[in-house]
Amino acid sequence: MPFPAERPRRLRRTEALRHLVAETTLQRRHLIAPLFVAETLTEPREISSMPGQFQHTVASLLAEVDELVARGITSIILFGVPATKDATGSQAWADEGICQVATRALAARFGDDIVIMNDLCLDEYTDHGHCGVLDARGDVDNDLTLELYGKIAVAQARAGAHVVAPSGMMDGQIEAIRRALDEAGYDQAAILAYAAKYASALYGPFRDAVAVSIAGGGHRRGYQQDPANIRESLREIRLDVAEGADMVMVKPAMTNLDVVAAARAEVDVPVFAYHVSGEYSMIHAAAEKGWIDGPAVALEQLLSLRRAGADAILTYFAKDIAGRLS
Ligand code: PBG
């Protein structure tokens, strides 16, 4: 018997062999680009904590999506940054609110050639920065917030969003949104549920991107999940699917590969992962110092997410790495 009998290295010997036996693929179609559009700007503004990412004007947003499409990225998720904020976040459902205006422009330009997703939340639109309306004690009022989410969903679908993506982690939000959409005649608008969304320190740069600071202690632990828990994530995911979610999402990504894998095993709908702002910015910062090869690390992380079971990934790297993918 020759020793060693098992020689896995045989299949690693050449690039062609490695290519032949690769178990997982990462392709452009697996990537969704998050984009920001700001109402007050006349020129796009780079987000200082997210190099290469911009708050866009409607015009520069259209140009950015042109560029993404040219590179083979055909799914985007849009976040609006309104000119004015108030206690209820009313610009989130105004037909002239920035997200709706930008979505109409995208729908007019690209139609069904791309997938237009809208983040559905209130934090960018409320003056206190929470994802819902507050009660007298300053806590987020779950059920009042659901009514507003229904209005936002209808406004987004009316503007032309193919997918609405509720990210507020309110109980019952998927059912409330599904019902509101159906009643308004938008039974074809799909829901991507941020189902297992953790209260994470990795959203820091995003809050710069959307100009949000959170009142009352600066955290969302009263509605987003505790990173200590995974059974709770599976419960959230099952509930969201039962309420009508067409797709579910785990967020952040790299700290929750176990949750992605468990979600993939648990449900039949597509499972997405959100590689969030802090994950993007950490790679950029280390690469800027010359300590790591940024795009190589990004590719490795995104491939690992696919291996864990993610069907698609929301990532700020979509545009930059598209050229390395098929
Ligand atoms: C809430 C929302 C957040 C992100 C996406 N949707 C911020 C939060 O929950 O505080 C974070 C995305 C990222 O960090 O890239 N509307």
Side-chain angles (χ1 to χ4, degrees):
M1 182 83 134
F3 177 81
E6 292 284 351
R7 292 191 181 269
R9 282 189 55 196
R10 278 184 200 126
L11 299 184
R12 297 180 198 141
R13 207 160 54 82
T14 70
E15 186 61 38
L17 273 167
R18 292 190 291 271
H19 192 55
L20 174 69
V21 300
E23 296 173 34
T24 310
T25 58
L26 179 69
Q27 299 173 318
R28 293 168 188 159
R29 70 184 181 91
H30 299 131
L31 305 183
I32 300 155
L35 298 170
F36 303 100
V37 61
E39 191 168 1
T40 52
L41 295 182
T42 50
E43 292 291 323
R45 185 165 73 200
E46 190 166 18
I47 300 156
S48 59
S49 54
M50 300 178 74
Q53 302 299 312
F54 291 82
Q55 285 188 344
H56 284 287
T57 64
V58 174
S60 73
L61 176 75
L62 294 174
E64 180 74 2
V65 178
D66 272 334
E67 182 60 35
L68 283 163
V69 170
R71 296 187 191 196
I73 304 292
T74 53
S75 295
I76 62 117
I77 182 164
L78 190 61
F79 296 87
V81 183
T84 56
K85 306 186 185 219
D86 58 29
T88 58
S90 59
Q91 284 301 301
W93 65 85
D95 279 328
E96 293 310 313
I98 183 61
C99 188
Q100 282 70 260
V101 169
T103 297
R104 282 198 296 273
L106 287 168
R109 169 85 145 248
F110 300 99
D112 293 339
D113 291 345
I114 65 169
V115 178
I116 305 170
M117 305 188 184
N118 282 180
D119 184 78
L120 192 170
C121 203
L122 280 167
D123 61 321
E124 296 93 354
Y125 301 89
T126 53
D127 50 17
H128 45 73
H130 279 288
C131 298
V133 278
L134 303 182
D135 64 18
R137 293 180 49 213
D139 290 333
V140 174
D141 185 318
N142 193 86
D143 298 5
L144 274 182
T145 299
L146 294 186
E147 285 176 35
L148 303 185
Y149 284 3
K151 292 203 230 186
I152 304 172
V154 170
Q156 292 179 337
R158 184 160 54 229
H162 299 96
V163 178
V164 300
S167 61
M169 292 300 284
M170 295 301 125
D171 294 336
Q173 64 183 12
I174 304 305
E175 188 179 342
I177 289 165
R178 185 72 271 160
R179 196 181 303 154
L181 285 170
D182 290 354
E183 278 171 9
Y186 298 108
D187 61 334
Q188 292 302 306
I191 302 177
L192 166 62
Y194 286 70
K197 177 172 176 181
Y198 287 94
S200 172
L202 288 163
Y203 309 148
F206 174 92
R207 291 182 189 153
D208 292 342
V210 293
V212 167
S213 61
I214 308 170
H219 66 80
R220 306 197 194 290
R221 293 193 285 275
Y223 39 103
Q224 297 179 350
Q225 289 179 234
D226 182 345
N229 299 347
I230 181 167
R231 290 193 299 269
E232 184 188 4
S233 282
L234 295 177
R235 182 177 180 212
E236 287 280 5
I237 287 163
R238 279 193 297 268
L239 281 170
D240 282 359
V241 172
E243 289 179 28
D246 299 287
M247 300 167 278
V248 294
M249 196 197 317
V250 175
K251 178 183 171 198
M254 299 313 296
T255 44
N256 300 303
L257 291 171
D258 56 337
V259 184
V260 173
R264 182 60 292 157
E266 180 81 19
V267 294
D268 293 326
V269 299
V271 174
F272 291 2
Y274 197 145
H275 192 262
V276 301
S277 58
E279 300 180 288
Y280 174 83
S281 300
M282 287 193 293
I283 292 175
H284 258 277
E288 244 169 57
K289 284 188 173 284
W291 291 347
I292 62 172
D293 174 344
V297 171
L299 280 170
E300 185 177 325
Q301 293 196 357
L302 299 174
L303 184 64
S304 304
L305 283 159
R306 291 273 304 141
R307 195 186 69 227
D311 294 289
I313 304 156
L314 291 79
T315 172
Y316 302 97
F317 285 109
K319 183 170 133 185
D320 286 344
I321 65 170
R324 299 180 181 223
L325 305 176
S326 58

